[in-house]
Amino acid sequence: MAIAFCFNPSLSSLSAFSNPNLPFSSSASSSSAVPLLHLRLTLSPPTPSLRHHPKLPVIHALSARSDAVLAGGGGGDQNNNNNYNGGNNGGDGGGEGENAGGKNREEAMIVLAEAGRVLESLPKDLKSAIEAGRVPGAVVEKFLEMEKSGILRWLMQFGGFKERLLADDLFLAKIFMECGVGIFTKTAAEYERRREKFFDELEIVFADVVMAIIADFMLVYLPAPTVSLRPALATGAGSIAKFFHNCPDNAFQVALAGTSYSFLQRFGAIVRNGTKLFAVGTASSLVGTAVTNALINARKAVDKAAGVEVEKETLPILSTSAAYGVYMAVSSNLRYQVLAGVIEQRLLEPLLHKHKLMLSAICFAVRTGNTFVGSLLWVDYARWLGLQ
């Protein structure tokens, strides 16, 4: 800011102005009067500055377009602060979210600039999330790192996998853990149940194990924490659809900076995942039970002697499928929500994030224990219903 001024050294004008007995209007109305004092106020535009995240390295130059994006379209830091604060405290809680969104955009643009990438080179959903300020720079950095792997790059073409991989480095490992444990425990249970007839009824065992693998995969996939990249629903969508669309995938997951979930939204995550798991459990049990019974009946037709013994193993299809769907919607849903959102993301990962091998081993142990507890609960539940 600069202030320049000049004055007329004329003594007469000065005396006329300084004489209190002369009215001011008479001196001001004189045609020969020269303005006594001229003030010129010059406002220099603030020097552009790059704010940066303390954990990210600073880059020294960005294009004018990028700087405008980082500044949120404002002129100076003071204007940006006013905008982030919700328009001079005009919003209740909106300022904090706006500030976090602007900070997320800055971090993301810094990471892209350092990697020599432009915003348009990213997938459409990630690009939109960056522009909206919903993902911090760490998520963008993780995406660029995962792109170097051919398998992960292929998987990230699918939105659901991308959201889960960006939220959890060990997501794929946990799928293999769960499915591997499921194969082992289900096969062991089948062998315990059939004993000497295990190999004679191998096709039935195979059908049961396949259905168990599908259920185990969905139990890891659906309740897993995510980085939400979903675009907003159309304006014509109903209020219920919008509510569940804005719910997290895991009721207990940590919200990213600039994102928050209400208690009702977190409860909605349990309801939404429970509905999906009910459908998955019912369908998988329906197919598995139907295939098992079909194979049993085929064996009975071939071997009349074995028919009497095998007939006792035939299960009611509809009631068993519905019961298993309810079990997955309630027991499995709650257990896996707590496992992924509380035990793994909130407790284990902050403590062992630098020791991936140890973290993987503990996650494997915890998930094995959870599967074992789930098997016991299912047996008790099925016996309580009279299905076993």
Side-chain angles (χ1 to χ4, degrees):
M1 177 184 294
I3 300 177
F5 66 92
C6 60
F7 62 90
N8 190 338
S10 174
L11 295 178
S12 60
S13 299
L14 180 62
S15 61
F17 180 77
S18 60
N19 189 349
N21 295 324
L22 294 176
F24 179 73
S25 60
S26 62
S27 61
S29 62
S30 175
S31 61
S32 60
V34 179
L36 182 63
L37 184 63
H38 300 278
L39 294 177
R40 184 171 69 251
L41 180 64
T42 303
L43 296 176
S44 301
T47 304
S49 61
L50 176 64
R51 298 184 298 277
H52 63 281
H53 191 276
K55 293 185 179 179
L56 294 175
V58 181
I59 58 176
H60 301 287
L62 287 177
S63 64
R65 180 175 179 271
S66 298
D67 189 61
V69 172
L70 297 181
D77 290 340
Q78 185 64 39
N79 290 335
N80 290 334
N81 290 334
N82 289 338
N83 291 334
Y84 291 159
N85 289 331
N88 295 326
N89 299 326
D92 193 10
E96 182 179 354
E98 191 72 23
N99 186 29
K103 197 172 184 180
N104 288 342
R105 283 192 297 271
E106 293 175 13
E107 293 179 8
M109 295 301 295
I110 290 174
V111 171
L112 289 175
E114 288 184 332
R117 297 283 294 271
V118 294
L119 200 58
E120 287 71 17
S121 67
L122 301 179
K124 189 175 181 180
D125 53 357
L126 182 58
K127 174 178 176 291
S128 300
I130 292 174
E131 291 175 337
R134 290 189 284 118
V135 292
V139 172
V140 180
E141 190 173 7
K142 184 182 292 187
F143 172 82
L144 297 178
E145 186 67 25
M146 288 183 175
E147 263 194 334
K148 298 176 183 177
S149 169
I151 295 177
L152 295 181
R153 184 170 61 251
W154 178 76
L155 285 174
M156 286 193 296
Q157 294 178 353
F158 309 99
F161 272 96
K162 184 192 306 174
E163 292 182 341
R164 286 160 175 80
L165 288 169
L166 291 177
D168 186 1
D169 296 336
L170 298 178
F171 174 68
L172 278 185
K174 291 173 182 177
I175 287 181
F176 287 119
M177 289 177 197
E178 195 71 36
C179 292
V181 171
I183 292 173
F184 175 78
T185 55
K186 183 64 177 176
T187 304
E190 291 287 341
Y191 180 78
E192 179 66 23
R193 178 178 169 184
R194 302 179 190 277
R195 291 290 182 175
E196 65 277 358
K197 295 185 289 185
F198 178 81
F199 291 101
D200 294 334
E201 300 175 354
L202 199 57
E203 65 277 9
I204 301 175
V205 174
F206 178 78
D208 289 348
V209 171
V210 169
M211 291 301 104
I213 293 174
I214 295 175
D216 289 337
F217 173 83
M218 297 306 295
L219 282 172
V220 179
Y221 184 87
L222 291 178
T226 60
V227 173
S228 179
L229 302 178
R230 295 187 296 267
L233 289 179
T235 54
S239 57
I240 297 179
K242 289 181 179 179
F243 169 75
F244 283 111
H245 179 80
N246 295 325
C247 292
D249 287 278
N250 185 285
F252 306 101
Q253 74 177 58
V254 178
L256 296 175
T259 304
S260 62
Y261 301 111
S262 66
F263 174 81
L264 194 59
Q265 286 176 319
R266 292 186 180 274
F267 181 77
I270 297 177
V271 175
R272 184 181 62 187
N273 277 355
T275 304
K276 294 178 180 179
L277 286 175
F278 174 79
V280 171
T282 302
S284 62
S285 180
L286 187 65
V287 174
T289 305
V291 171
T292 300
N293 288 345
L295 293 173
I296 291 174
N297 292 329
R299 184 176 292 274
K300 285 164 57 177
V302 174
D303 192 350
K304 299 290 186 179
V308 177
E309 298 178 4
V310 177
E311 187 176 1
K312 297 180 180 179
E313 298 181 0
T314 304
L315 300 175
I317 296 178
L318 295 179
S319 58
T320 301
S321 301
Y324 191 62
V326 172
Y327 170 77
M328 286 191 66
V330 179
S331 176
S332 299
N333 183 26
L334 292 176
R335 283 187 291 106
Y336 280 88
Q337 291 268 352
V338 173
L339 173 63
V342 178
I343 297 177
E344 290 180 342
Q345 189 180 47
R346 291 183 178 269
L347 296 180
L348 295 179
E349 290 181 7
L351 293 175
L352 302 172
H353 65 280
K354 294 183 179 179
H355 308 281
K356 295 296 183 183
L357 186 59
M358 184 180 298
L359 177 59
S360 300
I362 296 179
C363 288
F364 177 79
V366 172
R367 286 185 173 271
T368 302
N370 177 60
T371 302
F372 178 73
V373 171
S375 300
L376 296 178
L377 292 175
W378 163 248
V379 172
D380 293 339
Y381 173 68
R383 287 177 177 174
W384 179 67
L385 293 178
L387 299 175
Q388 291 185 3

